[in-house]
Amino acid sequence: DSGVTQTPKHLITATGQRVTLRCSPRSGDLSVYWYQQSLDQGLQFLIQYYNGEERAKGNILERFSAQQFPDLHSELNLSSLELGDSALYFCASSVQMNTEAFFGQGTRLTVV
Amino acid sequence: GDSVTQMEGPVTLSEEAFLTINCTYTATGYPSLFWYVQYPGEGLQLLLKATKADDKGSNKGFEATYRKETTSFHLEKGSVQVSDSAVYFCALTSKRTGNQFYFGTGTSLTVIP
């Protein structure tokens, strides 16, 4: 158990809908990362937060947004969902930037 | 930009065979290097790390040495077990990458009895 908690574990939703994925980092970790993992794209970095502020942005679509709250948990919002958004979404946390990251078990999103 | 290149898979080995998974990196500055492992249906787990040149990371019989002269961080294990079957990812991060983690494409390992 990495100490990073993601909910829900599985999500099935229809095209055009909006979902929210939640991540609770390890106790004491200030940095949160979001990744998308799909069979054809591999592991894609989406966005990073550090102590509530956005610090790095990767291949995140405009339909996607995220935030980190004062209690350091983070949410990833995916809207106007398309079939191609079906993937595993991972959250990771680290105590500081540039140190090892610990991953949650992921949320498997299926868009039908 | 910074990047990580891993050897293509899949790799299939017999139990007790020697494992090498190659990883090379491109980076400006001095990145930290990591190996992560992903078992089926699970998230990525940190396997080992090295934060400066000539550091050797080790865990569960796996080893990797940070070689700045060859920009490599190859993963090795002397005797693999069936339970080592998983996907292995090489990764780097540094202040110069904006503290993003750059992952390789992953190498799938299957160990047969």
Side-chain angles (χ1 to χ4, degrees):
Chain A
D1 182 4
S2 67
V4 179
T5 303
Q6 288 188 248
T7 56
K9 285 189 169 46
H10 302 277
L11 199 47
I12 301 175
T13 190
T15 54
Q17 294 299 304
R18 181 180 190 276
V19 297
T20 298
L21 312 184
R22 182 186 168 100
C23 171
S24 295
R26 293 189 320 156
S27 177
D29 284 1
L30 299 177
S31 193
V32 168
Y33 308 79
W34 285 98
Y35 287 85
Q36 179 193 58
Q37 187 179 40
S38 58
L39 283 174
D40 57 343
Q41 294 285 327
L43 202 61
Q44 297 286 316
F45 168 70
L46 296 178
I47 199 164
Q48 179 202 6
Y49 285 85
Y50 180 79
N51 204 21
E53 292 187 9
E54 181 185 306
R55 284 305 181 100
K57 214 166 187 175
N59 302 319
I60 187 165
L61 299 172
E62 285 191 13
R63 299 183 286 110
F64 296 180
S65 65
Q67 55 184 323
Q68 186 179 29
F69 294 87
D71 67 353
L72 301 177
H73 91 272
S74 179
E75 293 181 356
L76 179 67
N77 300 296
L78 315 176
S79 61
S80 304
L81 285 168
E82 302 175 358
L83 295 177
D85 298 327
S86 297
L88 265 171
Y89 291 84
F90 286 109
C91 168
S93 72
S94 62
V95 61
Q96 293 283 342
M97 295 185 290
N98 202 33
T99 59
E100 62 267 33
F102 294 86
F103 281 74
Q105 296 281 66
T107 293
R108 181 171 292 281
L109 174 66
T110 303
V111 182
V112 296
Chain B
D2 293 16
S3 65
V4 173
T5 302
Q6 275 183 247
M7 67 183 281
E8 295 279 332
V11 174
T12 303
L13 294 173
S14 297
E15 206 165 22
E16 299 183 5
F18 184 84
L19 168 70
T20 300
I21 301 178
N22 290 338
C23 171
T24 56
Y25 67 90
T26 301
T28 50
Y30 304 93
S32 295
L33 301 174
F34 307 87
W35 277 101
Y36 282 84
V37 58
Q38 186 177 27
Y39 298 102
E42 298 187 12
L44 279 72
Q45 299 176 24
L46 178 66
L47 183 58
L48 52 84
K49 67 174 183 178
T51 57
K52 59 182 188 298
D54 300 324
D55 265 3
K56 177 186 279 190
S58 61
N59 186 25
K60 299 181 182 178
F62 291 90
E63 292 183 340
T65 301
Y66 190 150
R67 302 278 189 208
K68 190 159 178 61
E69 63 276 14
T70 54
T71 62
S72 64
F73 192 55
H74 304 321
L75 182 69
E76 296 182 336
K77 187 176 185 183
S79 175
V80 293
Q81 306 299 312
V82 171
S83 57
D84 294 326
S85 298
V87 180
Y88 293 81
F89 293 88
C90 185
L92 70 79
T93 188
S94 75
K95 291 179 182 176
R96 287 184 177 268
T97 69
N99 304 298
Q100 291 185 44
F101 277 80
Y102 287 86
F103 284 87
T105 51
T107 302
S108 175
L109 170 66
T110 301
V111 180
I112 55 177

